[in-house]
């Protein structure tokens, strides 16, 4: 055999063009288009059809159950409301500035202040709040869970100490934590100039308490199941414990750590909505609760918008984690779903 | 030879804790190895070869006796006794180069400059003819290539003793022959002290200065030691016809199949 690698013959522009559009390539593109677009699209259409069918047949005390059409209308009106609220806010500040400028012109020594706008939080504001809360809670949980999982995975005795505690707290519903967290936050977080809202902290810590466990458990399993040979290599090289953790433990456990993190984030997002609803903390949960209490003919449609948004955001969050996992994972052949 | 007691396995015995009563795997294992000597350990499956090797490596602690290397007792693993594992044991997330680098940096961090370290890694990879795949991940290599990288990693540590647990066991006959030749060549050039476990009688006779034959467990020990006085460099094709070579082979076979019947066979008869 010759040592020179087989290379494709260099094609002229025209030949390249023909190559691109030859039958095989076209078929490949078609195949991919069907897989990536047509099939999911078909699924969504069937779902919308069934939804409309069902919605037509459900009459509630607040009117007909919203179908796709009403939901679309409501989502547009929610965005419009958001825009209106924003322009109101800008106008509010402008008015103040004008007034202050005038005051200063009349009397240069006058003290002027800008009062902040206290309008109603719109749907988009609530989405933003929820995202911020879940991000904060998830981050706190990760910072605790991964190191704890690594330590418990490395030390059998520590694992035996902590396992009963993990197993006890793992199945606890977030709603059970909520009153406790609320009281603890109000008792401990006293500051004249609070950096965070108390409601924000309550929601975030409830989220953190619930999304701790999947990461802890998966990290422990990942760390405890490292190949014995690799540990022996590390022992022969006399790697220090920190180097051992950094160079051997974490890379081998990373796939399972990520499995845990993805479960945690999904749990956290579900928990957050429930916590916001129950505690009336700002966020999507509160939005749903307010609409429910409001009970106008549009409410169900608006709640349905929120349901879909919650679902889509959950989906996006998981996709982001998956992308991160793919990026960080050394095993590029592994199929990740 | 100069220092017949470079590495000494002295009165080693080991008992494993099991769910029932403790299991005695080894008893009274004694062996003195000279510097630069190539030793093969051969014996039936489960007799305790890997256990001996792991005790020398320091990965297991002997219940009685101990290991003396250059006059000092060793009871911990360390880079002076590098191990080639049966299943290569490369970090799957590191490239070929990085795998060797991890080991080299541990041993030579203080004594070599960055450029020297790079040259040394490349030099060792070229010893096993892997210079063309330095930036590949282990999952992209064949079994023989992975094993070669595992050997390069150990050679690069310049260990006092090279310990190999069936390094070629998982390979096809051609690759194995090729790697045996490379190993013979490297060992002769670098004068490494080697203990290698093998199941292959030809391999043992071809490579070794002495073949250590172990009795069957439990409480296994060293049965016989056979010195192989064939001139080096050795050539497998020439030796295949050599009466001395065949005589050594026969002695090992006789030990394995007449004096120490395979424990699996005994069970077969009894069952
Ligand atoms: N960690 C352990 N705990 C309990 N028993 C063990 C342990 N390691 C080995 N043994 C026992 O010690 C005996 C020797 O095992 P060892 O792995 O050394 O055999 P071996 O000669 O290397 O076999 P093979 O050729 O199949 O690799 C076996 O009976 C095995 O069951
Ligand atoms: Mg073995």
């Amino acid at each position: 055999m010759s040592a020179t690698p087989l290379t494709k013959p260099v094609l002229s522009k025209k030949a390249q063009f023909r190559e691109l559009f030859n039958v095989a390539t076209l078929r490949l593109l078609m195949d991919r288009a069907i897989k990536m677009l047509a099939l999911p699209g078909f699924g969504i259409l069937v779902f919308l059809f069934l939804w409309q069918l069902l919605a037509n047949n459900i009459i509630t005390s607040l009117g007909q159950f919203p179908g796709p059409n009403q939901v679309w209308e409501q989502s547009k009106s929610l965005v419009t409301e958001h825009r209106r609220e924003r322009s109101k806010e800008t106008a509010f500040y402008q008015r103040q500035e004008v007034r202050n400028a005038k005051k200063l012109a009349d009397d240069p020594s006058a003290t002027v202040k800008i009062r902040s706008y206290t309008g109603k939080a719109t749907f988009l504001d609530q989405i933003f709040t929820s995202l911020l809360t879940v991000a904060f809670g998830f981050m706190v949980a990760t910072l605790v869970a991964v190191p704890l999982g690594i330590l418990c995975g490395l030390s059998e005795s520590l694992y035996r100490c902590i396992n009963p505690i993990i197993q006890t707290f793992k199945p606890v519903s977030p709603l059970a934590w909520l009153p406790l967290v609320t009281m603890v936050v109000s008792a401990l977080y006293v500051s004249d100039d609070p950096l965070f809202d108390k409601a924000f902290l309550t929601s975030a810590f409830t989220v953190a308490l619930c999304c701790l466990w999947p990461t802890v458990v998966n990290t422990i399993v990942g760390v405890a199941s490292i190949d014995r040979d690799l540990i022996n290599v590390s022992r022969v090289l006399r790697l220090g414990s920190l180097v051992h953790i950094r160079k051997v433990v974490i890379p081998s456990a990373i796939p399972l750590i990520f499995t845990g993190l993805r479960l945690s984030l999904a749990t956290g997002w579900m928990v957050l909505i429930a916590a916001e609803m129950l505690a009336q903390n700002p966020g999507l949960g509160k939005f749903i609760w307010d609409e429910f209490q409001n009970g106008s003919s549009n409410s169900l449609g608006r709640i349905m918008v929120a349901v879909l948004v919650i679902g889509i955001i959950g989906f996006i969050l998981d996709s982001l984690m998956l992308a991160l996992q793919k990026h960080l994972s050394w095993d590029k052949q592994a199929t990740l779903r | 030879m100069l220092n017949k007691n470079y590495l000494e396995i002295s009165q080693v015995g080991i008992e494993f804790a099991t769910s029932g009563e403790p299991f005695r795997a080894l008893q009274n294992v004694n062996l003195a190895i000279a510097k630069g000597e190539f030793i093969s350990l051969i014996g039936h499956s489960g007799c305790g070869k890997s256990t001996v090797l792991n005790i020398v490596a320091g990965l297991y602690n002997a219940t009685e006796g101990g290991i003396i290397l250059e006059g000092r007792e060793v009871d911990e693993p360390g880079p002076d006794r590098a191990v080639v594992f049966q299943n290569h044991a490369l970090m799957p997330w590191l490239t070929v180069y990085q795998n060797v680098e991890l080991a080299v940096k541990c041993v030579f961090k203080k004594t070599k400059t960055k450029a020297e370290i790079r040259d040394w890694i490349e030099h060792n990879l070229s010893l096993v003819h892997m210079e063309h795949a330095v930036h590949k991940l282990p999952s992209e290599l064949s079994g023989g290539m992975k094993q070669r990288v595992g050997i390069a990693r150990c050679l690069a540590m310049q260990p006092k003793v090279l310990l190999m647990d069936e390094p070629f066991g998982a390979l096809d006959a051609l690759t194995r022959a090729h790697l045996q030749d490379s190993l013979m060549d490297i060992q002769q050039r670098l004068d490494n002290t080697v203990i290698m476990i093998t199941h292959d009688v030809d391999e043992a006779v071809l490579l070794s200065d002495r073949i250590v034959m172990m009795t069957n467990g439990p409480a296994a020990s060293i049965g016989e030691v056979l010195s192989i006085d064939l001139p080096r460099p050795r050539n497998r094709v020439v030796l295949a016809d050599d009466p001395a070579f065949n005589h050594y082979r026969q002695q090992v076979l006789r030990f394995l199949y007449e004096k120490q019947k395979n424990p699996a066979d005994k069970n077969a008869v009894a069952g």
Side-chain angles (χ1 to χ4, degrees):
Chain A
M1 261 203 288
S2 78
T4 52
L6 281 173
T7 51
K8 275 192 171 174
V10 180
L11 297 173
S12 70
K13 272 267 144 57
K14 215 167 155 192
Q16 277 179 3
F17 195 71
R18 229 180 296 131
E19 166 97 334
L20 190 65
F21 285 97
N22 73 21
V23 182
T25 339
L26 270 182
R27 184 165 296 160
L28 210 80
L29 280 174
M30 286 266 290
D31 261 13
R32 199 174 291 169
I34 288 179
K35 259 195 207 143
M36 307 290 282
L37 297 171
L39 290 180
F42 177 73
I44 291 173
L45 279 181
V46 170
F47 169 75
L48 290 178
F49 173 75
L50 288 176
W51 175 11
Q52 184 71 62
L53 211 68
L54 271 173
N56 288 340
N57 291 314
I58 303 176
I59 312 288
T60 71
S61 60
L62 291 179
Q64 202 183 42
F65 190 83
N69 230 341
Q70 288 99 305
V71 169
W72 177 239
E73 289 307 319
Q74 285 311 319
S75 61
K76 277 195 293 193
S77 90
L78 281 170
V79 173
T80 325
E81 272 168 40
H82 176 74
R83 291 237 179 83
R84 201 180 314 135
E85 196 67 25
R86 270 301 116 80
S87 49
K88 263 201 220 161
E89 186 183 348
T90 337
F92 176 78
Y93 283 117
Q94 268 170 0
R95 270 205 309 280
Q96 285 195 55
E97 261 168 48
V98 172
R99 199 184 311 139
N100 287 338
K102 214 166 116 205
K103 224 183 198 174
L104 282 174
D106 290 350
D107 170 16
S109 61
T111 48
V112 292
K113 57 181 172 194
I114 303 248
R115 273 177 299 137
S116 55
Y117 182 72
T118 49
K120 184 167 154 272
T122 66
F123 182 60
L124 293 174
D125 294 336
Q126 303 285 39
I127 294 179
F128 180 73
T129 311
S130 285
L131 281 176
L132 206 64
T133 319
V134 84
F136 186 75
F138 177 65
M139 209 180 64
V140 171
T142 306
L143 288 181
V144 177
V146 172
L148 182 68
I150 289 176
L151 289 179
C152 288
L154 287 176
S155 152
E156 167 104 32
S157 348
L158 187 63
Y159 171 72
R160 296 223 175 275
C161 290
I162 289 184
N163 191 38
I165 303 172
I166 295 175
Q167 298 306 335
T168 310
F169 285 126
K170 204 170 57 163
V172 174
S173 153
L175 307 180
W177 280 119
L178 196 58
L180 295 176
V181 175
T182 312
M183 296 320 289
V184 170
V185 167
S186 9
L188 296 185
Y189 191 68
V190 273
S191 113
D192 298 329
D193 179 27
L195 186 59
F196 301 108
D197 199 31
K198 271 186 187 160
F200 171 81
L201 286 181
T202 311
S203 304
F205 283 130
T206 309
V207 167
L209 276 173
C210 295
C211 62
L212 213 54
W213 313 117
T215 304
V216 172
V217 172
N218 279 284
T219 307
I220 292 177
V221 174
V223 171
S225 57
I226 300 176
D227 190 350
R228 273 231 74 81
D229 276 355
L230 297 188
I231 294 177
N232 282 339
V233 169
S234 167
R235 287 177 66 198
V236 167
L237 292 177
R238 288 210 184 127
L239 297 184
S241 26
L242 278 181
V243 182
H244 174 65
I245 289 176
R246 203 156 46 86
K247 299 255 165 156
V248 182
V249 173
I250 291 182
S252 353
I254 214 101
L256 270 171
I257 293 180
F258 261 98
T259 308
L261 286 176
R262 280 172 66 193
L263 282 173
S264 280
L265 188 55
T267 316
W269 183 237
M270 284 207 282
V271 161
L272 175 68
I273 306 300
E276 285 168 351
M277 266 176 98
L278 191 75
Q280 294 289 294
N281 291 340
L284 278 167
K286 181 171 160 58
F287 173 86
I288 292 179
W289 190 249
D290 287 349
E291 286 301 331
F292 180 56
Q293 296 298 317
N294 198 5
S296 83
S297 59
N298 286 336
S299 287
L300 289 186
R302 290 156 78 95
I303 292 177
M304 198 62 203
V305 175
V307 166
L308 289 180
V309 166
I310 291 169
I312 291 170
I313 288 178
F315 180 42
I316 292 174
L317 289 180
D318 194 56
S319 309
L320 287 179
M321 288 298 288
L322 185 64
L324 189 64
Q325 178 175 18
K326 277 187 178 155
H327 178 69
L328 288 180
S329 160
W330 39 267
D331 194 357
K332 301 290 180 207
Q333 268 117 16
T335 44
L336 296 170
R337 291 170 193 268
Chain B
M1 279 190 201
L2 271 175
N3 181 1
K4 191 102 182 68
N5 293 339
Y6 183 65
L7 173 70
E8 226 179 310
I9 303 175
S10 162
Q11 283 297 332
V12 163
I14 192 168
E15 244 176 29
F16 287 114
T18 61
S19 50
E21 59 189 57
F23 175 77
R24 172 155 290 278
L26 296 175
Q27 192 148 28
N28 290 334
V29 178
N30 284 297
L31 189 66
I33 299 171
K35 190 163 198 260
E37 207 175 6
F38 195 119
I39 300 284
S40 284
L41 272 181
I42 201 164
H44 287 294
S45 178
C47 68
K49 304 181 292 295
S50 296
T51 309
V52 171
L53 202 79
N54 280 326
I55 293 173
V56 177
L59 295 169
Y60 287 175
N61 278 329
T63 313
E64 306 101 27
I67 305 298
I68 298 152
L69 177 61
E70 283 191 312
R72 271 211 221 131
E73 179 163 7
V74 286
D75 53 3
E76 259 187 331
D80 54 347
R81 282 150 292 136
V83 186
V84 177
F85 293 91
Q86 188 164 359
N87 289 311
H88 61 80
L90 300 176
M91 310 281 166
W93 52 88
L94 297 182
T95 61
V96 165
Y97 183 90
Q98 290 166 331
N99 263 294
V100 180
E101 186 185 34
L102 180 66
V104 170
K105 281 206 169 149
C106 282
V107 182
F108 298 109
K109 202 174 197 170
K110 298 206 178 82
T111 49
K112 278 193 199 314
T113 66
K114 264 191 186 154
E116 281 171 337
I117 285 185
R118 198 189 50 237
D119 288 347
W120 180 241
I121 295 169
E122 278 164 5
H123 168 72
N124 280 280
L125 282 169
S126 68
L127 276 182
V128 295
H129 307 292
M130 282 299 296
E131 61 272 53
H132 60 285
V134 287
H135 297 303
K136 286 196 169 163
L137 288 172
S139 56
E140 298 164 331
L141 304 178
S142 72
M145 290 160 94
K146 281 186 250 199
Q147 210 54 313
R148 264 147 56 188
V149 178
I151 293 170
R153 175 171 65 184
C154 287
L155 290 174
M157 290 157 67
Q158 280 198 327
K160 291 177 181 160
V161 185
L162 191 57
L163 304 169
M164 309 174 105
D165 193 345
E166 295 184 48
F168 311 132
L171 305 178
D172 66 279
L174 264 178
T175 315
R176 187 186 310 186
H178 181 75
L179 285 189
Q180 285 165 354
D181 289 341
S182 308
L183 179 62
M184 253 195 301
D185 183 46
I186 292 168
Q187 197 260 341
Q188 205 170 4
R189 263 193 289 160
L190 307 181
D191 202 29
N192 300 99
T193 310
V194 183
I195 304 180
M196 180 181 78
I197 295 177
T198 179
H199 274 128
D200 180 340
V201 177
D202 286 17
E203 178 173 278
V205 178
L206 180 68
L207 295 178
S208 314
D209 295 314
R210 280 191 294 160
I211 300 180
V212 174
M213 294 172 269
M214 291 187 60
T215 63
N216 290 336
S221 183
I222 291 175
E224 285 177 26
V225 178
L226 181 67
S227 286
I228 310 289
D229 292 317
L230 295 171
R232 288 179 190 270
R234 297 176 184 167
N235 180 313
R236 67 177 66 244
V237 183
V238 176
L239 284 177
D241 235 12
D242 186 321
F245 179 84
N246 283 313
H247 178 69
Y248 288 130
R249 274 191 67 205
Q250 199 189 20
Q251 273 181 286
V252 179
L253 289 171
R254 184 164 287 152
F255 177 87
L256 287 177
Y257 298 105
E258 285 174 10
K259 297 182 194 160
Q260 294 289 323
K261 283 235 176 66
N262 190 340
D265 288 350
K266 240 189 310 194
N267 293 341
V269 172

